[in-house]
Amino acid sequence: MYVIGERINGMFTDAKEAIRQKDAKVIQDLAKRQMEAGASALDVNVGPAVPDAKDAMLWLVETIRAVTDAPLAIDTAKWDVMSAVIPKVPGEKILNSTKADPETAQQYVALAAQNGAGLIGLTLDADGVPGNAEKRVELGAQLITIALEGGLEMDKLFIDPVILPVNVAPKNPGHCMEAISQLRAFADPPPHLVLGLSNVSQLCNNRGLINRTYLAMAMAHGLDAAILDPMDTELMNTGITAGLLQEKMIYCDSYLEAARYGKKG
Amino acid sequence: MYVIGERINGMFTDAKEAIRQKDAKVIQDLAKRQMEAGASALDVNVGPAVPDAKDAMLWLVETIRAVTDAPLAIDTAKWDVMSAVIPKVPGEKILNSTKADPETAQQYVALAAQNGAGLIGLTLDADGVPGNAEKRVELGAQLITIALEGGLEMDKLFIDPVILPVNVAPKNPGHCMEAISQLRAFADPPPHLVLGLSNVSQLCNNRGLINRTYLAMAMAHGLDAAILDPMDTELMNTGITAGLLQEKMIYCDSYLEAARYGKKG
């Protein structure tokens, strides 16, 4: 399970304040704690309503890079921010994210390929989030084709079938699982399949329970990456255990600790 | 999720003592507490080393029937016990279980059909538990065919692909999920797919975590019934939430309570 830690995001109050005040310690603590909890990479999102998003993103990257060389997922919907920041990120990086419209996707694939970066591609286009599994598969296949044509290897491509909250889109979790299964089989080797997991439980009760139950279900269909909070211990334990039950590791009495140690080692 | 409560079983110390001493209150409490926790049916197993298994089973059935009319899953590997007890169980009942060898399965199907009972069929034969998914599917298909030929409808047949502990058979959880997917698609309407869930974590650490993670994963592949401990609240919450994420129910803030109330109502 490739865990992209979600906590350095201006949507969260602690990160928002730290970005506003350029408080490096808070950001670096969030980076270190997520890595210690078993993250493989860190999402970096300045949040909405930041006066200079490019400047804020560059400050975050520099601040985080001082404490970890983990891959950084530069999370912005703005092309000018993405295209300015990506060449300046030292070490491993991921573009988060592109839509599947051909012209847009080609632009992002080119930027990722030029910079040796990964790319998260959403299965949505100008028409919005698909209301079924079939359109997700079609858009995912389109992303795979554009990535291969643009010189981006499958191990650098993360397809995100876009999960919506179960309380407003009850068929959506099923559609995403179906799309994950089919897209895993579409290319050999397959791309990564990723979800912004916590969106499934937005404004629901029992958020932790819904998140970890869906993580296990989506992994059973081939999800191999997720943007989530690695400091949610029960969630991480579920992800590690789902991997055990798919023979991604062999059981030992301390398999939970072994999995976390493996991520750090 | 069709939950068959596992707790009235002589493998557990409290039930074993109650069976030995014919202590009706302990058994009736176990029956009532499992039903209140959301069970759909109750497994009834006298355990090993009981002097007269037939007599003990009949006493258990009578004792449980005094407090609930839930379907009772008569759990014995002995044909003489099964064939003597089943006709004497008032109300709904399930034979737990037959192997897939044709002569044996035909005998059990006939007994089930004659008594309007359900039947759990294991995907194992004289060669033991299959070491792959394919053989499980083959034996499951054999059970489906024998059931249909014997006049047992698919909604009365529960196919159990036989889960082994993950610490001794690491590929087994994956094989069972694959078999569940394929057997769900084999007949229309499909049979039920069931697992004796807690076996997956036998002699493992983190048993609760392993059980509930595997329940969500197997449900994602089409498992719709399980023999488990309904008094394990976290496990039941996971099963209910997995159903929510498959649109078996619509979200409301009290969906956990609504699901349990629905079972009792």
Side-chain angles (χ1 to χ4, degrees), chain B residues 149-180:
Chain B
E149 286 173 358
L152 194 70
E153 297 298 324
M154 286 299 97
D155 69 348
K156 293 284 193 184
L157 180 65
F158 296 75
I159 296 183
D160 180 341
V162 189
I163 185 76
L164 300 177
V166 66
N167 58 348
V168 297
K171 291 183 192 301
N172 196 263
H175 293 161
C176 284
M177 286 192 277
E178 179 63 31
I180 288 166

mmCIF file of all heavy atoms in Angstrom, chain B residues 149-180:
data_model
loop_
_atom_site.group_PDB
_atom_site.id
_atom_site.type_symbol
_atom_site.label_atom_id
_atom_site.label_comp_id
_atom_site.label_asym_id
_atom_site.label_seq_id
_atom_site.Cartn_x
_atom_site.Cartn_y
_atom_site.Cartn_z
ATOM 1 N N GLU B 149 -30.447 -30.175 -9.167
ATOM 2 C CA GLU B 149 -30.992 -31.496 -9.536
ATOM 3 C C GLU B 149 -31.830 -32.087 -8.405
ATOM 4 O O GLU B 149 -32.790 -32.811 -8.650
ATOM 5 C CB GLU B 149 -29.856 -32.463 -9.889
ATOM 6 C CG GLU B 149 -29.235 -32.160 -11.255
ATOM 7 C CD GLU B 149 -27.994 -33.007 -11.544
ATOM 8 O OE1 GLU B 149 -27.590 -33.802 -10.649
ATOM 9 O OE2 GLU B 149 -27.435 -32.863 -12.640
ATOM 10 N N GLY B 150 -31.450 -31.754 -7.160
ATOM 11 C CA GLY B 150 -32.143 -32.322 -6.005
ATOM 12 C C GLY B 150 -33.316 -31.473 -5.531
ATOM 13 O O GLY B 150 -33.906 -31.762 -4.483
ATOM 14 N N GLY B 151 -33.618 -30.393 -6.264
ATOM 15 C CA GLY B 151 -34.795 -29.594 -5.913
ATOM 16 C C GLY B 151 -34.549 -28.576 -4.809
ATOM 17 O O GLY B 151 -35.488 -28.106 -4.162
ATOM 18 N N LEU B 152 -33.282 -28.236 -4.584
ATOM 19 C CA LEU B 152 -32.972 -27.214 -3.580
ATOM 20 C C LEU B 152 -32.725 -25.891 -4.297
ATOM 21 O O LEU B 152 -31.807 -25.774 -5.107
ATOM 22 C CB LEU B 152 -31.723 -27.636 -2.788
ATOM 23 C CG LEU B 152 -31.451 -26.874 -1.488
ATOM 24 C CD1 LEU B 152 -32.487 -27.229 -0.424
ATOM 25 C CD2 LEU B 152 -30.052 -27.187 -0.974
ATOM 26 N N GLU B 153 -33.555 -24.884 -4.007
ATOM 27 C CA GLU B 153 -33.419 -23.585 -4.670
ATOM 28 C C GLU B 153 -32.123 -22.899 -4.231
ATOM 29 O O GLU B 153 -31.620 -23.147 -3.137
ATOM 30 C CB GLU B 153 -34.612 -22.692 -4.311
ATOM 31 C CG GLU B 153 -35.957 -23.214 -4.777
ATOM 32 C CD GLU B 153 -36.041 -23.344 -6.296
ATOM 33 O OE1 GLU B 153 -35.469 -22.487 -6.989
ATOM 34 O OE2 GLU B 153 -36.660 -24.314 -6.772
ATOM 35 N N MET B 154 -31.648 -21.986 -5.078
ATOM 36 C CA MET B 154 -30.384 -21.292 -4.783
ATOM 37 C C MET B 154 -30.458 -20.460 -3.511
ATOM 38 O O MET B 154 -29.443 -20.268 -2.834
ATOM 39 C CB MET B 154 -29.971 -20.408 -5.972
ATOM 40 C CG MET B 154 -29.428 -21.175 -7.163
ATOM 41 S SD MET B 154 -27.929 -22.154 -6.822
ATOM 42 C CE MET B 154 -28.643 -23.773 -6.529
ATOM 43 N N ASP B 155 -31.654 -19.934 -3.167
ATOM 44 C CA ASP B 155 -31.710 -19.136 -1.934
ATOM 45 C C ASP B 155 -31.644 -20.012 -0.673
ATOM 46 O O ASP B 155 -31.605 -19.490 0.440
ATOM 47 C CB ASP B 155 -32.935 -18.212 -1.916
ATOM 48 C CG ASP B 155 -34.228 -18.980 -1.776
ATOM 49 O OD1 ASP B 155 -34.214 -20.221 -1.912
ATOM 50 O OD2 ASP B 155 -35.272 -18.336 -1.551
ATOM 51 N N LYS B 156 -31.602 -21.338 -0.863
ATOM 52 C CA LYS B 156 -31.422 -22.253 0.276
ATOM 53 C C LYS B 156 -30.001 -22.805 0.337
ATOM 54 O O LYS B 156 -29.660 -23.546 1.272
ATOM 55 C CB LYS B 156 -32.392 -23.439 0.145
ATOM 56 C CG LYS B 156 -33.866 -23.087 0.286
ATOM 57 C CD LYS B 156 -34.244 -22.853 1.727
ATOM 58 C CE LYS B 156 -35.761 -22.827 1.909
ATOM 59 N NZ LYS B 156 -36.101 -22.500 3.317
ATOM 60 N N LEU B 157 -29.202 -22.534 -0.680
ATOM 61 C CA LEU B 157 -27.849 -23.095 -0.729
ATOM 62 C C LEU B 157 -26.821 -22.045 -0.330
ATOM 63 O O LEU B 157 -26.797 -20.936 -0.878
ATOM 64 C CB LEU B 157 -27.545 -23.614 -2.145
ATOM 65 C CG LEU B 157 -26.144 -24.223 -2.338
ATOM 66 C CD1 LEU B 157 -25.971 -25.493 -1.491
ATOM 67 C CD2 LEU B 157 -25.883 -24.525 -3.817
ATOM 68 N N PHE B 158 -25.975 -22.390 0.607
ATOM 69 C CA PHE B 158 -24.864 -21.531 1.047
ATOM 70 C C PHE B 158 -23.570 -22.264 0.690
ATOM 71 O O PHE B 158 -23.314 -23.335 1.217
ATOM 72 C CB PHE B 158 -24.901 -21.310 2.559
ATOM 73 C CG PHE B 158 -26.111 -20.557 3.063
ATOM 74 C CD1 PHE B 158 -27.357 -21.173 3.154
ATOM 75 C CD2 PHE B 158 -26.004 -19.235 3.449
ATOM 76 C CE1 PHE B 158 -28.469 -20.477 3.622
ATOM 77 C CE2 PHE B 158 -27.103 -18.526 3.928
ATOM 78 C CZ PHE B 158 -28.345 -19.145 4.007
ATOM 79 N N ILE B 159 -22.783 -21.675 -0.203
ATOM 80 C CA ILE B 159 -21.505 -22.290 -0.527
ATOM 81 C C ILE B 159 -20.405 -21.650 0.316
ATOM 82 O O ILE B 159 -20.291 -20.427 0.385
ATOM 83 C CB ILE B 159 -21.181 -22.162 -2.024
ATOM 84 C CG1 ILE B 159 -22.238 -22.950 -2.809
ATOM 85 C CG2 ILE B 159 -19.781 -22.678 -2.325
ATOM 86 C CD1 ILE B 159 -21.998 -22.975 -4.285
ATOM 87 N N ASP B 160 -19.621 -22.515 0.964
ATOM 88 C CA ASP B 160 -18.547 -22.072 1.854
ATOM 89 C C ASP B 160 -17.216 -22.481 1.243
ATOM 90 O O ASP B 160 -16.893 -23.669 1.205
ATOM 91 C CB ASP B 160 -18.745 -22.728 3.236
ATOM 92 C CG ASP B 160 -17.686 -22.324 4.238
ATOM 93 O OD1 ASP B 160 -16.607 -21.844 3.826
ATOM 94 O OD2 ASP B 160 -17.919 -22.502 5.451
ATOM 95 N N PRO B 161 -16.424 -21.507 0.757
ATOM 96 C CA PRO B 161 -15.162 -21.873 0.095
ATOM 97 C C PRO B 161 -14.039 -22.263 1.051
ATOM 98 O O PRO B 161 -12.938 -22.553 0.585
ATOM 99 C CB PRO B 161 -14.802 -20.617 -0.705
ATOM 100 C CG PRO B 161 -15.469 -19.498 -0.006
ATOM 101 C CD PRO B 161 -16.707 -20.059 0.666
ATOM 102 N N VAL B 162 -14.300 -22.299 2.350
ATOM 103 C CA VAL B 162 -13.392 -22.847 3.374
ATOM 104 C C VAL B 162 -12.128 -21.997 3.542
ATOM 105 O O VAL B 162 -11.128 -22.175 2.841
ATOM 106 C CB VAL B 162 -12.990 -24.311 3.081
ATOM 107 C CG1 VAL B 162 -12.244 -24.879 4.293
ATOM 108 C CG2 VAL B 162 -14.197 -25.157 2.744
ATOM 109 N N ILE B 163 -12.194 -21.104 4.490
ATOM 110 C CA ILE B 163 -11.050 -20.233 4.773
ATOM 111 C C ILE B 163 -10.131 -20.910 5.794
ATOM 112 O O ILE B 163 -10.590 -21.461 6.786
ATOM 113 C CB ILE B 163 -11.521 -18.845 5.262
ATOM 114 C CG1 ILE B 163 -10.356 -17.875 5.437
ATOM 115 C CG2 ILE B 163 -12.331 -18.924 6.551
ATOM 116 C CD1 ILE B 163 -9.832 -17.345 4.149
ATOM 117 N N LEU B 164 -8.833 -20.854 5.529
ATOM 118 C CA LEU B 164 -7.829 -21.387 6.459
ATOM 119 C C LEU B 164 -7.083 -20.213 7.103
ATOM 120 O O LEU B 164 -7.110 -19.098 6.594
ATOM 121 C CB LEU B 164 -6.835 -22.277 5.711
ATOM 122 C CG LEU B 164 -7.438 -23.494 4.999
ATOM 123 C CD1 LEU B 164 -6.351 -24.242 4.234
ATOM 124 C CD2 LEU B 164 -8.115 -24.422 5.990
ATOM 125 N N PRO B 165 -6.411 -20.470 8.222
ATOM 126 C CA PRO B 165 -5.703 -19.371 8.909
ATOM 127 C C PRO B 165 -4.607 -18.750 8.033
ATOM 128 O O PRO B 165 -3.831 -19.461 7.401
ATOM 129 C CB PRO B 165 -5.102 -20.068 10.134
ATOM 130 C CG PRO B 165 -5.964 -21.266 10.367
ATOM 131 C CD PRO B 165 -6.373 -21.721 9.000
ATOM 132 N N VAL B 166 -4.555 -17.434 8.026
ATOM 133 C CA VAL B 166 -3.602 -16.702 7.177
ATOM 134 C C VAL B 166 -2.160 -16.965 7.595
ATOM 135 O O VAL B 166 -1.247 -16.859 6.766
ATOM 136 C CB VAL B 166 -3.916 -15.186 7.169
ATOM 137 C CG1 VAL B 166 -3.703 -14.557 8.544
ATOM 138 C CG2 VAL B 166 -3.111 -14.452 6.115
ATOM 139 N N ASN B 167 -1.951 -17.367 8.839
ATOM 140 C CA ASN B 167 -0.566 -17.600 9.286
ATOM 141 C C ASN B 167 -0.010 -18.933 8.783
ATOM 142 O O ASN B 167 1.193 -19.125 8.735
ATOM 143 C CB ASN B 167 -0.448 -17.509 10.813
ATOM 144 C CG ASN B 167 -1.354 -18.487 11.532
ATOM 145 O OD1 ASN B 167 -2.246 -19.088 10.909
ATOM 146 N ND2 ASN B 167 -1.167 -18.661 12.820
ATOM 147 N N VAL B 168 -0.887 -19.863 8.388
ATOM 148 C CA VAL B 168 -0.400 -21.143 7.849
ATOM 149 C C VAL B 168 -0.672 -21.284 6.354
ATOM 150 O O VAL B 168 -0.031 -22.079 5.680
ATOM 151 C CB VAL B 168 -0.989 -22.369 8.593
ATOM 152 C CG1 VAL B 168 -0.540 -22.370 10.049
ATOM 153 C CG2 VAL B 168 -2.502 -22.415 8.515
ATOM 154 N N ALA B 169 -1.643 -20.529 5.825
ATOM 155 C CA ALA B 169 -2.007 -20.653 4.408
ATOM 156 C C ALA B 169 -2.170 -19.253 3.819
ATOM 157 O O ALA B 169 -3.279 -18.789 3.584
ATOM 158 C CB ALA B 169 -3.285 -21.467 4.262
ATOM 159 N N PRO B 170 -1.045 -18.553 3.567
ATOM 160 C CA PRO B 170 -1.133 -17.133 3.203
ATOM 161 C C PRO B 170 -1.847 -16.843 1.881
ATOM 162 O O PRO B 170 -2.364 -15.744 1.698
ATOM 163 C CB PRO B 170 0.334 -16.689 3.138
ATOM 164 C CG PRO B 170 1.129 -17.933 3.037
ATOM 165 C CD PRO B 170 0.354 -19.000 3.733
ATOM 166 N N LYS B 171 -1.878 -17.812 0.967
ATOM 167 C CA LYS B 171 -2.561 -17.582 -0.310
ATOM 168 C C LYS B 171 -4.073 -17.812 -0.200
ATOM 169 O O LYS B 171 -4.832 -17.455 -1.095
ATOM 170 C CB LYS B 171 -2.020 -18.537 -1.385
ATOM 171 C CG LYS B 171 -0.597 -18.245 -1.807
ATOM 172 C CD LYS B 171 -0.188 -19.213 -2.933
ATOM 173 C CE LYS B 171 1.314 -19.153 -3.175
ATOM 174 N NZ LYS B 171 1.793 -17.812 -3.541
ATOM 175 N N ASN B 172 -4.486 -18.464 0.882
ATOM 176 C CA ASN B 172 -5.857 -18.915 1.026
ATOM 177 C C ASN B 172 -6.902 -17.796 1.020
ATOM 178 O O ASN B 172 -7.942 -17.917 0.344
ATOM 179 C CB ASN B 172 -5.930 -19.734 2.321
ATOM 180 C CG ASN B 172 -7.158 -20.563 2.382
ATOM 181 O OD1 ASN B 172 -8.128 -20.154 2.999
ATOM 182 N ND2 ASN B 172 -7.168 -21.682 1.691
ATOM 183 N N PRO B 173 -6.659 -16.686 1.730
ATOM 184 C CA PRO B 173 -7.675 -15.613 1.685
ATOM 185 C C PRO B 173 -7.920 -15.115 0.260
ATOM 186 O O PRO B 173 -9.066 -14.835 -0.116
ATOM 187 C CB PRO B 173 -7.074 -14.531 2.582
ATOM 188 C CG PRO B 173 -6.172 -15.269 3.521
ATOM 189 C CD PRO B 173 -5.581 -16.387 2.694
ATOM 190 N N GLY B 174 -6.875 -15.017 -0.529
ATOM 191 C CA GLY B 174 -7.020 -14.594 -1.925
ATOM 192 C C GLY B 174 -7.795 -15.626 -2.742
ATOM 193 O O GLY B 174 -8.671 -15.271 -3.543
ATOM 194 N N HIS B 175 -7.484 -16.900 -2.524
ATOM 195 C CA HIS B 175 -8.210 -17.953 -3.243
ATOM 196 C C HIS B 175 -9.708 -17.907 -2.939
ATOM 197 O O HIS B 175 -10.543 -18.084 -3.828
ATOM 198 C CB HIS B 175 -7.671 -19.333 -2.857
ATOM 199 C CG HIS B 175 -6.263 -19.571 -3.314
ATOM 200 N ND1 HIS B 175 -5.469 -20.549 -2.765
ATOM 201 C CD2 HIS B 175 -5.517 -18.961 -4.261
ATOM 202 C CE1 HIS B 175 -4.286 -20.528 -3.361
ATOM 203 N NE2 HIS B 175 -4.283 -19.580 -4.265
ATOM 204 N N CYS B 176 -10.041 -17.710 -1.676
ATOM 205 C CA CYS B 176 -11.466 -17.675 -1.298
ATOM 206 C C CYS B 176 -12.174 -16.485 -1.939
ATOM 207 O O CYS B 176 -13.307 -16.608 -2.419
ATOM 208 C CB CYS B 176 -11.620 -17.637 0.224
ATOM 209 S SG CYS B 176 -11.329 -19.236 0.991
ATOM 210 N N MET B 177 -11.509 -15.307 -1.965
ATOM 211 C CA MET B 177 -12.146 -14.135 -2.585
ATOM 212 C C MET B 177 -12.390 -14.384 -4.073
ATOM 213 O O MET B 177 -13.455 -14.068 -4.599
ATOM 214 C CB MET B 177 -11.267 -12.885 -2.388
ATOM 215 C CG MET B 177 -11.324 -12.372 -0.962
ATOM 216 S SD MET B 177 -10.575 -10.713 -0.777
ATOM 217 C CE MET B 177 -8.840 -11.138 -0.611
ATOM 218 N N GLU B 178 -11.402 -14.956 -4.736
ATOM 219 C CA GLU B 178 -11.542 -15.254 -6.160
ATOM 220 C C GLU B 178 -12.687 -16.248 -6.395
ATOM 221 O O GLU B 178 -13.511 -16.079 -7.308
ATOM 222 C CB GLU B 178 -10.216 -15.822 -6.689
ATOM 223 C CG GLU B 178 -10.199 -16.194 -8.144
ATOM 224 C CD GLU B 178 -10.429 -15.008 -9.060
ATOM 225 O OE1 GLU B 178 -10.025 -13.898 -8.677
ATOM 226 O OE2 GLU B 178 -11.025 -15.192 -10.141
ATOM 227 N N ALA B 179 -12.764 -17.286 -5.555
ATOM 228 C CA ALA B 179 -13.821 -18.287 -5.700
ATOM 229 C C ALA B 179 -15.202 -17.663 -5.458
ATOM 230 O O ALA B 179 -16.173 -17.976 -6.159
ATOM 231 C CB ALA B 179 -13.578 -19.453 -4.732
ATOM 232 N N ILE B 180 -15.286 -16.770 -4.475
ATOM 233 C CA ILE B 180 -16.563 -16.105 -4.183
ATOM 234 C C ILE B 180 -17.036 -15.315 -5.404
ATOM 235 O O ILE B 180 -18.182 -15.422 -5.832
ATOM 236 C CB ILE B 180 -16.411 -15.185 -2.943
ATOM 237 C CG1 ILE B 180 -16.282 -16.044 -1.676
ATOM 238 C CG2 ILE B 180 -17.601 -14.235 -2.811
ATOM 239 C CD1 ILE B 180 -15.784 -15.276 -0.451
#
